[in-house]
Amino acid sequence: MGLTIEKLNLHYGSSHALKNISFQTATKGCTAVMGRNGAGKTTLLRCLMGVLPATSGKISWNDQDVAILPPFRRVREGFGYVPQGREIFANLTVGQNLEIAAAAAKVEEPEEVIAEAVALFPVIGEMWKRRGGDLSGGQQQQLSIARALVTRPELLILDEPTEGVQPSIVSRIEDVIAQLRGRLSILLVEQYFDFARSISDHVVVLSRGEVVLHGAASDINDEAVKRHLSI
Ligand SMILES: Nc1ncnc2c1ncn2[C@@H]1O[C@H](COP(=O)(O)OP(=O)(O)OP(=O)(O)O)[C@@H](O)[C@H]1O
Ligand SMILES: [Mg+2]
């Protein structure tokens, strides 16, 4: 059960961007994916969502093969995605960003899930009628996370949610992830090791498209991880 990735390969033309990636996550708890700029973290997440096609390998969720499903079907199977750079709909209002996501995922009680997301990020309620593009970076990041949550994910995939966000909002986002990890499977790409370790159960380190370290957050060797993260 949970997410299982087996020998996943992906090429951009002749460039081999993901090399035999294998690891598993549980149905609950947080796995941090770390690695230097260009290591392949975003490529891995986009491949898991089905936005980029794998060259070979298996992706299964709760023992079901999802590698054959297009992105919207993966969302219906429980995958929620918070992309790097947020990618909210700039010309829609904050409210519309959430309503569209809930409708696309065909959630049964959209008002209820939207109210839950607003309770986690109160600024969304305050900005409800504003255009997404008029929000600050940190507000957009909260909207992007909320937009993934209103699809009622069982697996929440977050790509550097604290990147370029002011410290007070970073702590809000950290608190929300800490709350959610008790009931969801979370795959978190994060560049700050101390935060990643404090919030994660498992850590996966990528270097040049390969898994170079993988282990329980409590046993992982700090120095070894830091060696793979430093430039
Ligand atoms: N669309 C693309 N076409 C060709 N090569 C790409 C493409 N996107 C990414 N790459 C290359 O694939 C490698 C992995 O990039 P990726 O964006 O996955 O890294 P990352 O670990 O997310 O980096 P960052 O920490 O900067 O976000 C890099 O060498 C990058 O230049
Ligand atoms: Mg990236």
Side-chain angles (χ1 to χ4, degrees), residues 29-223:
C30 181
T31 298
V33 177
M34 309 199 70
R36 291 187 190 107
N37 290 340
K41 306 177 298 292
T42 297
T43 302
L44 172 65
L45 301 193
R46 288 172 63 85
C47 183
L48 293 177
M49 285 310 298
V51 181
L52 284 172
T55 320
S56 64
K58 285 191 186 164
I59 304 168
S60 52
W61 171 244
N62 293 342
D63 299 327
Q64 189 201 343
D65 178 8
V66 297
I68 50 169
L69 301 178
F72 79 94
R73 286 286 313 280
R74 296 189 204 195
V75 172
R76 287 192 202 153
E77 292 301 326
F79 286 30
Y81 182 39
V82 181
Q84 188 168 21
R86 301 142 196 157
E87 297 180 18
I88 54 139
F89 304 117
N91 291 318
L92 300 185
T93 65
V94 167
Q96 287 166 337
N97 267 271
L98 299 183
E99 286 159 1
I100 281 186
K106 296 195 187 291
V107 294
E108 278 171 15
E109 284 150 336
E111 277 122 40
E112 194 178 303
V113 287
I114 289 173
E116 284 168 23
V118 173
L120 288 174
F121 296 113
V123 72
I124 290 175
E126 292 155 23
M127 295 288 182
W128 189 253
K129 292 194 169 153
R130 301 283 283 277
R131 279 172 71 256
D134 293 339
L135 269 52
S136 72
Q139 290 166 344
Q140 288 185 0
Q141 188 66 67
Q142 294 172 83
L143 175 58
S144 182
I145 299 170
R147 189 180 57 179
L149 289 175
V150 302
T151 68
R152 279 214 191 281
E154 294 170 27
L155 171 65
L156 181 63
I157 296 176
L158 300 126
D159 199 347
E160 301 205 27
T162 62
E163 187 180 31
V165 167
Q166 69 190 67
S168 63
I169 298 179
V170 169
S171 20
R172 179 85 283 244
I173 292 172
E174 290 175 359
D175 285 350
V176 167
I177 296 172
Q179 283 180 45
L180 295 171
R181 71 189 266 225
R183 59 185 172 90
L184 302 181
S185 186
I186 297 177
L187 198 60
L188 170 70
V189 167
E190 175 55 56
Q191 49 181 319
Y192 299 107
F193 178 54
D194 293 333
F195 166 51
R197 216 220 347 218
S198 71
I199 207 163
S200 301
D201 304 282
H202 286 91
V203 176
V204 173
V205 182
L206 295 184
S207 177
R208 298 169 192 266
E210 281 182 275
V211 175
V212 287
L213 272 177
H214 179 208
S218 53
D219 323 325
I220 204 126
N221 179 318
D222 289 19
E223 294 313 311

Side-chain angles (χ1 to χ4, degrees), residues 4-10 18-22 47-48 53-60 65-68 74:
T4 304
I5 302 168
E6 283 174 88
K7 296 196 174 160
L8 193 65
N9 285 281
L10 185 144
L18 299 180
K19 298 173 187 155
N20 279 317
I21 305 259
S22 298
C47 183
L48 293 177
T55 320
S56 64
K58 285 191 186 164
I59 304 168
S60 52
D65 178 8
V66 297
I68 50 169
R74 296 189 204 195

